Amino acid sequence: MSNRIEFNRPFMTGKELEYIAKAKSGNKLAGDGPFTRKCHEWLERTAGCDKALLTHSCTAALEMAALLLDIEPGDEIIMPSYTFVSTANAFVLRGGVPVFVDIREDTLNLDERLVESAITPRTRAIVPVHYAGVACEMDTILSIAKKHGLKVVEDAAQGVMASYKGRPLGSIGELAAYSFHETKNIISGEGGALLVNDPALALRAEIIREKGTDRSRFFRGEVDKYTWQEVGSSFLPSELIAAFLWAQLEESKRITDDRLAIWENYHTILEPLETEGLLRRPIVPEDCQHNAHMYYVLLPEDADREKVLGLLKSNGISSVFHYVPLHSSPAGKRFARISGELNVTVSHSERLVRLPLWAGLKIEQQERVATILAEALRG
Ligand SMILES: Cc1ncc(COP(=O)(O)O)c(C=O)c1O
């Protein structure tokens, strides 16, 4: 057996191909067939949202959110710079201006204490990103949004099966987006979902997703023909993707529990290294039930991250870092602006290392990761 430890290994429940074959035999390959309906029902039940709509990615769900909120050129959207490009790009596509606010030192989530000072007359929405499946401080963010008449779009790409004060991530803002990309906990290769929690937006969300038409209502027999109603695009995945996803959603608790056990193992094994001052482990606030989407460590300021990653790699361990903060990227400089200082964003993004985490990772493999990491940090 190879000694290599991959960074990610997509987990298969074993039912994926069976369900795809079933979808194929039913001759329903385009979107919104029986498997899509099962996924929608599951998401609505589990996330407790008003309406769930599968999309072909979380990126697509965020783009739908920008359309639904009628974002216009010059409208401002408050978000962290420490996030994936799609959080910002979805709004920039509509001419919106991302306004980057620093992140919290503990969770690496949008620092809610800095949001209010970023608000201007052009602000339309706040996009909290639940980093690593750990919730942002949503009560504070919701009350700021309410006070200033802003919408909240949760970027819950990493948040499936996680919660805040008992409320599932994705059920809290007016809109939310999940990702089922192969790097996530629950996967369909590429995939995502838009969760709609404001009933007033539900019908338009369906229309935007179906090329700007009322085709969904036509299929339900509510109208006798479907026509072009407003701006939209094709955001729905094929039934084959939904069939694959259904095999994963059915097993979502087992997958999450397995990942949580692996996360806890890392947390225990790495405690002595934290005590020694060699790294900092993730911090999960009491109000947050996370989903073990990732295990990361923060290296001390004077550590050489390249060297650490290099030593892990030369021992067959694949480890990565992210994100290059968006405000420092070419497109970020062109399309967005900064509110205040982004010191935590810059410092943490330079010190973060993500460790291999996937359902099925063995404790011996985790111990090997910790041993090599300690070796690298002790120099
Ligand atoms: C925070 C965040 N937002 C959005 C996305 C985009 O997800 P997708 O690849 O499903 O479009 C990702 C993917 O990694 C993400 O981590």
Side-chain angles (χ1 to χ4, degrees):
M1 199 183 89
S2 153
N3 243 354
R4 246 181 68 69
I5 304 177
E6 299 107 316
F7 174 67
N8 179 49
R9 190 187 280 187
F11 178 78
M12 301 294 155
T13 66
K15 290 273 186 73
E16 288 83 357
L17 296 182
E18 182 190 320
Y19 290 170
I20 286 175
K22 205 164 162 189
K24 180 174 160 278
S25 70
N27 285 329
K28 174 65 192 154
L29 304 184
D32 282 344
F35 281 106
T36 304
R37 273 196 293 281
K38 275 176 186 289
C39 293
H40 285 173
E41 278 161 22
W42 186 95
L43 288 165
E44 283 160 11
R45 200 173 54 246
T46 310
C49 63
D50 232 64
K51 187 169 200 66
L53 292 167
L54 288 193
T55 54
H56 46 72
S57 62
C58 176
T59 301
L62 290 166
E63 288 173 16
M64 284 182 68
L67 279 164
L68 268 167
L69 297 186
D70 295 314
I71 296 299
E72 289 183 359
D75 285 350
E76 295 180 353
I77 303 93
I78 295 171
M79 64 180 69
S81 166
Y82 187 72
T83 182
F84 190 71
V85 291
S86 300
T87 318
N89 195 68
F91 294 92
V92 170
L93 272 170
R94 313 252 57 84
V97 179
V99 175
F100 297 132
V101 164
D102 210 357
I103 49 171
R104 281 168 52 145
E105 211 276 327
D106 56 354
T107 56
L108 284 69
N109 278 333
L110 185 70
D111 191 333
E112 68 283 356
R113 294 162 304 182
L114 305 175
V115 168
E116 206 151 17
S117 59
I119 294 173
T120 74
R122 292 307 306 261
T123 309
R124 294 287 318 284
I126 307 171
V127 186
V129 178
H130 304 300
Y131 183 64
V134 176
C136 295
E137 198 357 70
M138 291 308 290
D139 277 350
T140 309
I141 291 170
L142 289 181
S143 77
I144 295 170
K146 192 163 174 215
K147 183 170 154 200
H148 296 273
L150 308 175
K151 300 287 185 194
V152 174
V153 179
E154 297 173 76
D155 183 336
Q158 305 172 8
V160 181
M161 300 291 282
S163 60
Y164 166 78
K165 297 188 178 173
R167 300 163 71 186
L169 303 192
S171 70
I172 305 170
E174 276 87 3
L175 295 166
Y178 278 167
S179 173
F180 302 118
H181 184 264
E182 72 162 33
T183 50
K184 301 299 186 294
N185 294 17
I186 308 294
I187 60 173
S188 58
E190 302 279 352
L194 178 76
L195 307 190
V196 184
N197 298 308
D198 175 355
L201 296 174
L203 185 59
R204 264 189 78 216
E206 270 187 356
I207 290 173
I208 287 170
R209 177 170 167 270
E210 264 286 17
K211 298 92 180 163
T213 73
D214 52 355
R215 194 181 196 170
S216 302
R217 297 192 69 197
F218 173 68
F219 282 148
R220 285 198 298 268
E222 293 167 15
V223 286
D224 62 358
K225 61 182 178 312
Y226 70 89
T227 56
W228 188 19
Q229 302 284 330
E230 66 164 287
V231 173
S233 189
S234 182
F235 288 114
L236 71 166
S238 105
E239 194 55 8
L240 302 177
I241 297 285
F244 189 112
L245 181 62
W246 178 243
Q248 295 263 321
L249 292 177
E250 273 189 331
E251 296 285 343
S252 53
K253 176 143 181 9
R254 176 160 75 94
I255 296 170
T256 309
D257 287 348
D258 198 3
R259 294 183 72 103
L260 282 167
I262 292 162
W263 194 101
E264 284 301 334
N265 282 339
Y266 269 135
H267 216 53
T268 306
I269 303 170
L270 296 172
E271 190 178 359
L273 301 193
E274 186 173 70
T275 311
E276 229 183 290
L278 292 174
L279 52 79
R280 200 203 85 187
R281 296 176 302 159
I283 296 170
V284 180
E286 243 180 45
D287 287 334
C288 306
Q289 174 56 58
H290 72 106
N291 59 2
H293 173 57
M294 78 171 84
Y295 199 93
Y296 66 82
V297 294
L298 287 172
L299 307 185
E301 262 164 40
D302 57 354
D304 183 344
R305 181 169 65 178
E306 281 308 306
K307 217 175 111 204
V308 172
L309 290 174
L311 193 68
L312 287 164
K313 191 172 171 201
S314 64
N315 280 277
I317 297 165
S318 175
S319 246
V320 300
F321 66 85
H322 73 172
Y323 299 104
V324 175
L326 297 183
H327 74 277
S328 67
S329 65
K333 286 182 185 150
R334 201 165 138 209
F335 297 119
R337 71 173 181 81
I338 292 171
S339 171
E341 306 277 328
L342 302 185
N343 295 334
V344 185
T345 301
V346 172
S347 146
H348 282 33
S349 65
E350 286 172 356
R351 294 162 48 210
L352 186 126
V353 172
R354 293 178 65 186
L355 304 180
L357 199 171
W358 31 271
L361 186 69
K362 301 268 178 296
I363 180 88
E364 307 82 65
Q365 292 175 302
Q366 294 186 266
E367 277 164 357
R368 197 151 71 79
V369 172
T371 305
I372 306 294
L373 189 59
E375 213 175 281
L377 288 167
R378 291 200 184 104

